[in-house]
Amino acid sequence: MWPGVRCSATGSVIEIDLSGHRLNGSITPQIGALSKLKCLNLSSNNLRGELPSSLGNLTQLAVLDVSYNEIHSIPLEIEKMENLVSSIIPLQIRNLKKLMTLHFGNCQLYGSIPPNIGKLKSLVNLHLSSNMLVGPIPSSVNKLTNLASLVLDDNQLNGSIPQEIGRLTNLVTLDLSSNMLVGPIPQNLGKLSRLESFSLYQNKINGSMPLEIRNLGKLSYIDLSYNNLSGQIPSFLGLLSSFSSLRLDSNLFEGFIPSDIGKIKKSR
């Protein structure tokens, strides 16, 4: 009868949801004794330290959420949890082939995105925003062809946007804003025909806007502000009738604002 705890008919604890309960301290290693646990949600608390290695004993766990805490270390034993389908996991783990959602937002992570992230081929949502991640976006991300949402904003990622990003044809949301990315916008971006939201705000992207962007007929939000984009503002933007928000400020554009932009009736 404890709040946030659910048991099976045989009396085994199968679900713990204590999100937003102002818990503090560390997670006890005794959590690993709950061998029948299927859902563990401790998000939005004040928990600190590292996750106990005993979590590896929770082989039936399908949902693990410790986001919005101050967890700074996650043990490799977590890779034993092969039934995870929606979780927050250490970036080193590559064997969770059923994983669909990886949400590590605002977890004070540092280091680089592991190059083997592409092995999590069932991923639909990859959110690593508001951390201290450095280094390039690994090219293996382009193997995550089921991705609908790729959110890596507010980190310190550098290098260029992978040229093969056009393989992620199921993408609806792509947010790479507030990083240190350089180079041009890849032409292959034009293959993301389902893309609705695209943000590169506050990077060091240069070159001109590729003509291929005109193929993004579902694009409703685009923010390319605070970069080093140059050349003329392309007139084809006026042909994208789905626009509700368009930001190009604080770049190096020259020339006139194309009159066709006036055809964007929803833009604000």
Side-chain angles (χ1 to χ4, degrees):
M1 300 300 295
W2 289 352
V5 178
R6 187 165 69 92
C7 297
S8 66
T10 58
S12 297
V13 177
I14 58 174
E15 181 178 337
I16 296 177
D17 186 350
L18 297 175
S19 58
H21 275 59
R22 300 182 180 179
L23 302 178
N24 54 41
S26 58
I27 300 174
T28 174
Q30 294 176 332
I31 193 75
L34 302 176
S35 60
K36 304 297 183 182
L37 196 63
K38 295 182 179 181
C39 176
L40 177 60
N41 186 353
L42 301 176
S43 62
S44 301
N45 284 292
N46 297 312
L47 298 172
R48 301 185 177 187
E50 57 186 36
L51 291 182
S53 60
S54 62
L55 279 178
N57 298 331
L58 306 181
T59 55
Q60 295 190 29
L61 202 67
V63 176
L64 172 61
D65 192 345
V66 292
S67 59
Y68 298 99
N69 284 286
E70 296 185 26
I71 304 296
H72 62 74
S73 179
I74 301 177
L76 290 177
E77 285 83 357
I78 204 171
E79 67 182 345
K80 299 176 183 179
M81 300 156 64
E82 297 180 351
N83 285 310
L84 281 177
V85 295
S86 178
S87 65
I88 181 161
I89 60 170
L91 300 179
Q92 304 98 309
I93 303 308
R94 59 184 183 275
N95 297 324
L96 305 180
K97 297 180 180 180
K98 297 179 181 179
L99 193 68
M100 297 178 66
T101 296
L102 176 57
H103 195 319
F104 247 138
N106 197 23
C107 282
Q108 299 183 354
L109 294 176
Y110 57 90
S112 58
I113 301 175
N116 55 25
I117 192 76
K119 292 182 180 284
L120 303 178
K121 294 185 178 180
S122 294
L123 276 184
V124 176
N125 302 293
L126 177 57
H127 290 212
L128 302 176
S129 60
S130 301
N131 285 292
M132 295 173 282
L133 297 172
V134 298
I137 300 172
S139 59
S140 67
V141 166
N142 301 306
K143 297 179 181 179
L144 304 177
T145 54
N146 289 313
L147 275 186
S149 179
L150 177 59
V151 179
L152 305 177
D153 65 295
D154 197 15
N155 281 287
Q156 300 174 42
L157 299 173
N158 55 36
S160 58
I161 303 172
Q163 291 292 325
E164 300 85 359
I165 199 165
R167 297 177 184 175
L168 305 182
T169 54
N170 287 307
L171 268 187
V172 175
T173 300
L174 177 58
D175 191 345
L176 305 178
S177 57
S178 298
N179 280 290
M180 302 172 65
L181 298 173
V182 299
I185 300 173
Q187 295 179 350
N188 284 343
L189 191 81
K191 296 180 179 180
L192 306 182
S193 58
R194 299 184 180 181
L195 197 64
E196 297 179 5
S197 176
F198 176 43
S199 181
L200 280 177
Y201 162 78
Q202 203 171 46
N203 278 281
K204 298 180 180 180
I205 301 297
N206 55 32
S208 58
M209 292 182 63
L211 293 175
E212 287 75 10
I213 289 182
R214 62 186 175 185
N215 299 326
L216 305 181
K218 293 186 177 181
L219 198 61
S220 61
Y221 176 90
I222 184 168
D223 189 348
L224 305 179
S225 60
Y226 289 88
N227 280 286
N228 297 318
L229 293 169
S230 59
Q232 294 186 335
I233 298 175
S235 60
F236 64 73
L237 291 176
L239 302 177
L240 299 176
S241 57
S242 295
F243 267 140
S244 61
S245 182
L246 170 64
R247 286 199 59 183
L248 303 175
D249 53 294
S250 300
N251 278 287
L252 302 174
F253 291 118
E254 58 186 11
F256 298 98
I257 299 175
S259 58
D260 284 347
I261 286 185
K263 299 177 181 178
I264 303 176
K265 298 180 181 180
K266 298 179 183 180
S267 186
R268 60 181 185 273

